[in-house]
Structures are given as structure tokens and as C-alpha cells.
Amino acid sequence: MAAAWAVHLYTMSGVAFALLTVVAVIEGDTVRALWLGLVAMVIDGTDGMLARQVRVKEVVPWFDGALLDNIVDYLTYAFTPMVLLWSAGYLGEGTWAQVLAIVPLVASAFQFCRTDAKTEDHLFTGFPSYWNILAFYVVVMDLGLTAVTALLLVCTVLVFVPVGYVYPSRTGTLQGLTLLLTTIWLVAYAVLLAQLPDPSPIWLSVSLVYVAYYVVLSIYLTLQRRRSVAAAAPVGA
């Protein structure tokens, strides 16, 4: 029982880091906000594995850990990154900036409420609201308004496109390689933040290679699943 609640409290700590991120943004410390975002990602990437190890669903069946996880994820992966981008001026000014921040949040609210947001074969359905990662690259690469606008709108549309995206800690295909590369990516994230405002092109390339790997594997698994469904369909159906 104690171990199960310790895991739930570990997940809940993400709410605290979300608030601390907003505080950092208000104080104009974008880099500190991104460091806090890294901590939130590490928590999110490990709490599920811990929950399965201590069997939280069996020990505390009346407490919905999945709902808790969604609440925390919405705050850390969607809400706080949009606050960061808006506050730091990456979304422009005035009404347009507010609309540009709101659109991804609405799309993510829709996605987090889908019953099929995570498939049985452990893929995310549609772009998995990685706005925190997008915000990281916007800051590290110091992207302009046109590029930021394009990225936000394209990713918003991708939320509704039925492509399956890799769930690093659960997708079975190449999971060992994926976890290794994810760890390297997290290291690259930390190194690049430490190097700001002059990040190394080498570490940035290492980081982007992982993004390319993630996208390619996600598309491959989506096509593989569609072929399997088509093959299993009755002839003439």
C-alpha cells in the first residue's frame, strides 16, 4: 500500500513542477523553466513503470492513476509550454499570440479525452501533445514567428490524423533501442540547455537524429498495423 501511494505522489509531483515552471516563466527565466520541464518529463517517463512494478491498480483500485497522469501530462506537456512560448514572445503579440497559444491547448484537451488515445499495441493516436518538446526546440534554435506558427499549426492538425506514435516506455518494437536513444536524447536536452545561448550544433544534431528515428518508427508501425488489419479483413468486406 505504501509503495503504491508513493508512486502516486511521485506522479503528483509533476503538478508542483508545472507550477514552478510557470513561476520561472513569470520571472522571465526561460532556461530554468525548460530545466523544470526536463524533470517533469523524467517523472512522466518513469512513473508508469514504477506503477506497474508495485501493481498500483490492484493495491489501490479505487484511485484512478491514469486520470491523474493525464491531468499532470496536460499541465506539463501542453499548458505550461504554451505559457512559456507566449510569455517569451515566440508567438508574437496581441490577439494572434493568444489564439496561437489556445489552438494547441484545445486540440490537446480533445486528445486527452479520447478513449482511443492509446492503442492496445501501445501507440499514441495522433500527435501526442509533445508541446514541451516543441517549445524546447523553439528556444534552443531561437526560431522566428513564421516557423513557430507553422510548427504549432501543423502539429495541431496532426493531433487529429490517425497516425500511431511510439510510446517509448511501452511500445514493444525496438523498445530496447528506443529507450537507449531516449536516454541519449534526454542527455542532449540537458547539455543543450547548459550551453545556451550558444548550443553546440553537434549536440543539436544528436538530438534531432532521435526525433527523426521516433517519427520514422512511428510511421513504420502505423503502416504495419494497417497492413495487418487489411490482411485480417474478410475477402470482399
Side-chain angles (χ1 to χ4, degrees):
M1 179 74 74
W5 279 113
V7 172
H8 283 317
L9 289 172
Y10 180 60
T11 301
M12 289 178 196
S13 69
V15 175
F17 284 106
L19 176 61
L20 292 174
T21 300
V22 173
V23 171
V25 169
I26 292 172
E27 294 177 350
D29 196 337
T30 300
V31 174
R32 174 156 56 95
L34 290 174
W35 277 114
L36 291 165
L38 175 59
V39 175
M41 276 194 289
V42 171
I43 292 172
D44 180 59
T46 54
D47 63 348
M49 292 183 285
L50 293 172
R52 288 187 289 275
Q53 287 178 2
V54 302
R55 299 176 291 110
V56 293
K57 288 185 178 181
E58 298 175 32
V59 177
V60 192
W62 58 269
F63 189 86
D64 194 338
L67 178 57
L68 171 63
D69 190 62
N70 278 343
I71 292 171
V72 174
D73 285 354
Y74 186 80
L75 289 172
T76 57
Y77 280 69
F79 187 78
T80 54
M82 287 303 106
V83 173
L84 185 154
L85 291 177
W86 173 79
S87 179
Y90 287 102
L91 305 184
E93 300 178 353
T95 302
W96 173 249
Q98 297 170 17
V99 170
L100 200 53
I102 290 170
V103 168
L105 292 179
V106 172
S108 291
F110 169 86
Q111 184 185 48
F112 273 89
C113 292
R114 293 184 61 160
T115 57
D116 63 344
K118 297 173 184 175
T119 66
E120 293 183 358
D121 52 346
H122 303 301
L123 296 174
F124 294 112
T125 302
F127 175 71
S129 295
Y130 286 152
W131 306 110
N132 54 337
I133 295 174
L134 187 147
F136 164 73
Y137 283 113
V138 167
V139 173
V140 169
M141 300 173 72
D142 195 23
L143 299 179
L145 177 59
T146 301
V148 174
T149 300
L151 282 171
L152 289 177
L153 295 182
V154 168
C155 289
T156 296
V157 171
L158 290 177
V159 168
F160 303 95
V161 177
V163 170
Y165 290 81
V166 173
Y167 188 165
S169 64
R170 302 213 66 186
T171 301
T173 303
L174 298 178
Q175 186 178 51
L177 177 60
T178 298
L179 290 175
L180 172 62
L181 294 178
T182 300
T183 302
I184 294 173
W185 181 83
L186 290 170
V187 172
Y189 182 114
V191 171
L192 288 167
L193 278 187
Q195 293 175 337
L196 285 176
D198 188 25
S200 164
I202 295 176
W203 278 102
L204 181 58
S205 298
V206 169
S207 173
L208 291 174
V209 164
Y210 172 77
V211 174
Y213 164 84
Y214 181 91
V215 172
V216 170
L217 181 57
S218 297
I219 293 173
Y220 168 76
L221 292 176
T222 299
L223 295 176
Q224 185 181 56
R225 184 174 57 182
R226 290 178 181 175
R227 286 194 295 267
S228 297
V229 171
V235 176

